[in-house]
Amino acid sequence: MSGTAPRPEGPPAGPRQGPPPPPPSAPYWPPPPRHPGAAPGHLPYPGHLAHPGHLAHPGHLPYPPCPPAPPTGPLTAPAGSSYAAQARNGGQRVWRELGGTALLGAAGVVCTLALFVAAFVLARVFGIANANADDEAVFADPVAEVALGLVSLGLAIPAVLLVVRWIQRRPAGTISSVTGRLRLGWLALCSCLALPVLATQTGLLVWLMPGEGPGGTAAELFAPPALPTLLLGLAVIWVLVPFQAAAEEYLFRGWILQAFGAHLRSPWAGIAVGSLLFALAHGFGQWSGFALLLYSAAWYAWLTLRTGGLEAAIAHHMVNNLLAFTLAALANDLANDETAADAPWQALVLELVATPLYCLLVVRLAERRKIRSVSASS
């Protein structure tokens, strides 16, 4: 028919065909739109293809997200953990606590032996060795002997910190307090509170039994040696006793309490074992002295849990030992090897009242000053 354009030759009309199949080398098809600021040939991150309209070719799914890398540094306990639970950080194992305890014991033996051997050599070289064969002292000077004993005990602090960090894989400061550090301001405040309580306790003990003081009589109690000897002795005492007292707290209230707390929810097993070992470490004397040490150690552990750190226990222990050593220096009796295990029953009676009084005052003060007793969120 005229007026009708001839139809072009070609394949019959059918459904509209889509884009040709992707070549084998193309990872995605159709290619996503390029970002205006991207360089030529730049493809967006494969995850951008997950939204509708950017469908990946079958067999080329977007990459899955990378799993988080396992932690390699120290592990901390969850937020809200008590002081005893600071080692419950997900990496606790029975072998860590047992191995750490064995390592602390071995380190104590080795370091003490090495220290005493070095002191023995120095005493012979400088001519200040003890010539009395019946006396186990290394030095003839009692001040040097006291310094040797205090230093040997103070070495427990770095040993405990290293075992906490390397064996338990947690920050070393978590054995000091739940804040991850030793709270020096709180330690000083507790020391100021312990001083009047312990001074009153010590004064009453001297008044109750003057003939049993370090000098033997009340008059000899305040019979100091020559001034240079007294000043040297006081300097050694006031420098080294804080480390000795703190070392015992780090070991018996810190390590033992948290080693049990890593696996047990109740802290009483750690309190009982730590208190018993603390009393035994002072040797066997009178029954009253053993009971005094056991009693005070239990209160120290309770106070540590209530305040979330060792500071309050260290303060009481430190001030108590400073007063005892100072009285011994004033009486020229530093050579006396008696310990708290030899305390008479009068000292036990005073301890039954004075120690809980201090602990309750500290807890009340901690509540007023909002001293943290559990760990905070990171």
Side-chain angles (χ1 to χ4, degrees):
M1 295 175 61
S2 61
T4 302
R7 297 184 64 178
E9 297 292 336
R16 187 174 182 179
Q17 301 293 324
S25 60
Y28 306 102
W29 195 264
R34 186 169 60 88
H35 191 272
H42 169 75
L43 290 178
Y45 182 74
H48 297 174
L49 302 177
H51 60 82
H54 288 156
L55 298 179
H57 185 268
H60 295 278
L61 297 178
Y63 296 139
C66 298
T72 57
L75 305 175
T76 57
S81 298
S82 66
Y83 176 82
Q86 289 302 299
R88 199 181 301 162
N89 56 0
Q92 70 272 23
R93 302 291 184 273
V94 175
W95 69 265
R96 294 185 188 275
E97 283 65 55
L98 294 178
T101 303
L103 185 59
L104 283 175
V109 172
V110 172
C111 292
T112 302
L113 182 61
L115 182 64
F116 273 80
V117 169
F120 182 82
V121 172
L122 292 176
R124 293 299 186 274
V125 170
F126 292 98
I128 55 176
N130 183 22
N132 188 0
D134 297 332
D135 194 352
E136 297 180 355
V138 177
F139 296 100
D141 185 7
V143 175
E145 190 66 21
V146 168
L148 177 61
L150 294 176
V151 170
S152 65
L153 292 173
L155 292 176
I157 296 178
V160 171
L161 294 177
L162 290 175
V163 168
V164 166
R165 179 61 183 88
W166 291 346
I167 303 299
Q168 289 187 323
R169 295 180 58 205
R170 60 187 175 103
T174 55
I175 200 169
S176 299
S177 73
V178 294
T179 63
R181 59 181 178 85
L182 190 67
R183 299 167 289 190
L184 296 178
W186 176 237
L187 174 63
L189 190 60
C190 292
S191 300
C192 294
L193 185 59
L195 182 58
V197 175
L198 285 167
T200 304
Q201 181 182 358
T202 304
L204 288 174
L205 181 61
V206 174
W207 177 72
L208 288 174
M209 40 186 318
E212 300 295 332
T217 65
E220 294 173 350
L221 181 61
F222 300 101
L227 184 60
T229 303
L230 176 61
L231 293 179
L232 179 61
L234 291 177
V236 168
I237 289 168
W238 283 80
V239 169
L240 296 181
V241 163
F243 294 98
Q244 171 261 331
E248 294 184 8
E249 295 305 315
Y250 271 95
L251 183 60
F252 295 106
R253 249 66 63 190
W255 171 259
I256 294 179
L257 195 60
Q258 291 185 346
F260 279 90
H263 305 280
L264 302 177
R265 295 191 176 276
S266 174
W268 289 108
I271 293 176
V273 174
S275 302
L276 180 61
L277 292 178
F278 177 75
L280 293 175
H282 286 76
F284 294 96
Q286 302 187 39
W287 67 268
S288 54
F290 182 85
L292 182 149
L293 290 167
L294 193 66
Y295 178 77
S296 60
W299 274 104
Y300 285 166
W302 178 84
L303 186 60
T304 298
L305 293 175
R306 287 297 302 268
T307 59
L310 296 172
E311 298 89 354
I314 291 175
H316 189 274
H317 196 164
M318 175 183 64
V319 174
N320 178 78
N321 288 8
L322 284 173
L323 290 175
F325 275 102
T326 300
L327 286 178
L330 291 173
N332 197 17
D333 198 39
L334 286 176
N336 192 339
D337 58 355
E338 290 185 355
T339 67
D342 302 298
W345 65 268
Q346 293 91 335
L348 175 60
V349 172
L350 292 173
E351 190 78 12
L352 293 176
V353 178
T355 299
L357 174 63
Y358 166 78
C359 293
L360 295 177
L361 289 175
V362 167
V363 169
R364 180 67 180 274
L365 183 62
E367 292 174 350
R368 293 183 59 182
R369 298 184 66 88
K370 294 180 173 56
I371 299 298
R372 182 172 294 280
S373 60
V374 296
S375 57
S377 58
S378 58

